Amino acid sequence: MNPWNGLRGLPARAWIVCSSTLVNRMGTMARPFLVLYLVERRGFSESQAGLALSFYGGAALIAAPLAGRACDRFGALRIMRWSLLLSGLLLTMFPLVTTPGAILAFIFAWASVGEAYRPANLAMLTGLAPPGRIRAVLALNRVAINLGMSVGPAVGGLLAAWSYAAVFIVDGVMSVISSAVLWLAVKSTTETRPVSRSTSAGALRDHRLLYVLAALLPVMMVFFQLAATLPLFLVRNLHKAPTAYGFLMVVNTVLIILFEVPLNLRMERWPHRLALTLGALFIAAGFGGYAFTGTVAAVVATTIVWTVGEMILLPGSAAYLAEIAPEGRTGEYMGLYSMTFNIAFAIGPWLGAEVLERQGARPLWLAALALGLAGAALLSRLRHNDSTDAGIGAP
């Protein structure tokens, strides 16, 4: 039996949105090369380039919840279209900006419109998913993301060797093309109808939402060590070549492309509490396992462990929030969900680097294990019937 057969029942609009995601991600190359561009072409110091990334992160934190509320008011499809179009146009003009102040302002504007896409994308896809199929739709979208990301940065590296301006122009053009797919192939009337007003209490009064976001935060702080401390650990502590980190990311991507959809199809009927707890445990065990690794084989094995956790936790957590969101409030919930990821990305790598520098590798990964287990313990206290009842209770 083909493990992908379960995707046949998904609506055509979900496939179109995921195709747009694939096109957009195939062009994702500007942000990975932003620091190098600023240092090598615009004369920024390393600390100034870091400040530029802080501008991007600050804008992302602000944009996510605002975009989520805009989705509920104007429709997620409209927000996705304009986010892709405007961010694409900004990127094509970015090489023309030369002064430091203007560059920082441009980065803030780029992040503000570009990061609005994430909560809108999640809200759109969860609205299109048939009952009980949210995990499958989100897993399909993550396959599109990873397929695209396996192309974009690699092509960006080739373009950067020729012209940094080409990196931003190609990224911008791909965003515009992705927007065009949504304009041409998805009619506004086919989107789940936006609700401008809701009689339910604000999202920040929903204890289930706040609880699960608080439980996810430490786990995601651990997960984002892959962006900072993991490459440092491989090169400085295990004395591996920088290509070792690239190899691990290839392993991660291939596993997601091959197995995330079949895995989530098998888990569609699992209770959210069980799925989220299991995903968090795998992430904790995978990153914690680095404390006891010294060979390439061991590092690959622990990477596989946390990749399994990623494949379970990320689509599962978004599916849970989509199910507990009141009608017409999915965008708001996804905006706060995206904001939580942005907070974890802002804190996790910085804190991990501090621990690695001051205490060493083993304390870092043992601390990651402890944080991940704490998050898993919190997630295990979601009620069994956790998408419909009042929230938190004894296991």
Side-chain angles (χ1 to χ4, degrees), residues 85-156:
L85 178 61
L86 293 177
S87 62
L89 294 176
L90 285 172
L91 280 172
T92 60
M93 294 185 289
F94 189 68
L96 303 176
V97 183
T98 58
T99 63
I103 287 174
L104 292 178
F106 220 86
I107 289 173
F108 191 90
W110 164 35
S112 297
V113 295
E115 291 297 322
Y117 176 83
R118 298 175 187 272
N121 179 249
L122 289 172
M124 180 74 180
L125 288 170
T126 55
L128 291 173
R133 308 304 309 279
I134 294 177
R135 293 182 195 176
V137 171
L138 294 178
L140 176 63
N141 194 59
R142 276 181 37 83
V143 168
I145 290 171
N146 281 274
L147 271 173
M149 290 298 291
S150 68
V151 174
V155 174

Side-chain angles (χ1 to χ4, degrees), residues 76-87:
L77 176 60
R78 184 176 298 175
I79 300 302
M80 282 197 297
R81 286 169 169 173
W82 284 104
S83 171
L84 291 168
L85 178 61
L86 293 177
S87 62

Side-chain angles (χ1 to χ4, degrees), residues 157-248:
L158 297 175
L159 290 174
W162 172 57
S163 168
Y164 275 107
V167 171
F168 294 95
I169 292 171
V170 171
D171 194 333
V173 169
M174 294 297 283
S175 292
V176 173
I177 294 173
S178 181
S179 176
V181 171
L182 297 179
W183 283 99
L184 298 174
V186 184
K187 296 180 180 180
S188 297
T189 54
T190 63
E191 184 188 4
T192 51
R193 184 176 301 172
V195 179
S196 60
R197 300 182 64 87
S198 175
T199 57
S200 62
L204 294 178
R205 295 183 181 180
D206 188 334
H207 292 177
R208 290 176 300 177
L209 170 67
L210 298 180
Y211 183 86
V212 77
L213 293 182
L216 286 171
L217 183 60
V219 183
M220 298 319 300
M221 287 172 61
V222 172
F223 175 72
F224 284 128
Q225 298 307 310
L226 69 90
T229 54
L230 179 55
L232 290 174
F233 167 69
L234 290 172
V235 174
R236 296 183 180 179
N237 296 90
L238 298 187
H239 308 292
K240 307 300 180 184
T243 53
Y245 177 68
F247 174 71
L248 289 184

Side-chain angles (χ1 to χ4, degrees), residues 6-379:
L7 295 180
R8 290 182 178 178
L10 300 184
R13 286 165 289 165
W15 286 94
I16 294 170
V17 172
C18 291
S19 298
S20 173
T21 298
L22 174 62
V23 173
N24 181 42
R25 290 294 181 162
M26 286 174 65
T28 299
M29 56 189 74
R31 193 171 68 169
F33 289 93
L34 179 61
V35 170
L36 285 174
Y37 168 74
L38 294 177
V39 172
E40 295 187 5
R41 292 292 183 269
R42 294 305 179 197
F44 277 49
S45 67
E46 292 181 0
S47 61
Q48 289 172 329
L51 176 64
L53 284 182
S54 297
F55 266 66
Y56 190 100
L61 283 174
I62 297 170
L66 294 179
R69 294 181 68 88
C71 290
D72 296 331
R73 180 66 178 87
F74 303 107
L77 176 60
R78 184 176 298 175
I79 300 302
M80 282 197 297
R81 286 169 169 173
W82 284 104
S83 171
L84 291 168
L85 178 61
L86 293 177
S87 62
L89 294 176
L90 285 172
L91 280 172
T92 60
M93 294 185 289
F94 189 68
L96 303 176
V97 183
T98 58
T99 63
I103 287 174
L104 292 178
F106 220 86
I107 289 173
F108 191 90
W110 164 35
S112 297
V113 295
E115 291 297 322
Y117 176 83
R118 298 175 187 272
N121 179 249
L122 289 172
M124 180 74 180
L125 288 170
T126 55
L128 291 173
R133 308 304 309 279
I134 294 177
R135 293 182 195 176
V137 171
L138 294 178
L140 176 63
N141 194 59
R142 276 181 37 83
V143 168
I145 290 171
N146 281 274
L147 271 173
M149 290 298 291
S150 68
V151 174
V155 174
L158 297 175
L159 290 174
W162 172 57
S163 168
Y164 275 107
V167 171
F168 294 95
I169 292 171
V170 171
D171 194 333
V173 169
M174 294 297 283
S175 292
V176 173
I177 294 173
S178 181
S179 176
V181 171
L182 297 179
W183 283 99
L184 298 174
V186 184
K187 296 180 180 180
S188 297
T189 54
T190 63
E191 184 188 4
T192 51
R193 184 176 301 172
V195 179
S196 60
R197 300 182 64 87
S198 175
T199 57
S200 62
L204 294 178
R205 295 183 181 180
D206 188 334
H207 292 177
R208 290 176 300 177
L209 170 67
L210 298 180
Y211 183 86
V212 77
L213 293 182
L216 286 171
L217 183 60
V219 183
M220 298 319 300
M221 287 172 61
V222 172
F223 175 72
F224 284 128
Q225 298 307 310
L226 69 90
T229 54
L230 179 55
L232 290 174
F233 167 69
L234 290 172
V235 174
R236 296 183 180 179
N237 296 90
L238 298 187
H239 308 292
K240 307 300 180 184
T243 53
Y245 177 68
F247 174 71
L248 289 184
M249 294 302 98
V250 170
V251 170
N252 171 263
T253 300
V254 170
L255 289 173
I256 289 171
I257 292 171
L258 293 179
F259 298 112
E260 180 159 334
V261 166
L263 178 62
N264 280 273
L265 289 174
R266 290 290 185 92
M267 297 178 65
E268 278 186 319
R269 298 183 182 275
W270 285 32
H272 287 294
R273 179 181 67 171
L274 178 58
L276 299 186
T277 302
L278 185 63
L281 286 173
F282 270 102
I283 288 176
F287 282 95
Y290 287 133
F292 309 101
T293 56
T295 66
V296 172
V299 169
V300 170
T302 50
T303 299
I304 291 172
V305 171
W306 64 254
T307 298
V308 173
E310 176 189 1
M311 291 190 289
I312 296 171
L313 185 67
L314 297 193
S317 56
Y320 172 74
L321 292 185
E323 291 190 16
I324 67 172
E327 182 180 0
R329 304 292 290 277
T330 304
E332 184 179 2
Y333 277 56
M334 292 304 170
L336 293 172
Y337 177 69
S338 297
M339 187 180 72
T340 301
F341 275 58
N342 290 332
I343 293 172
F345 187 79
I347 298 175
W350 166 76
L351 188 60
E354 287 288 317
V355 175
L356 181 62
E357 181 179 352
R358 297 175 184 274
Q359 303 295 327
R362 179 158 290 187
L364 165 67
W365 300 124
L366 291 178
L369 175 63
L371 269 180
L373 291 176
L378 292 173
L379 291 169

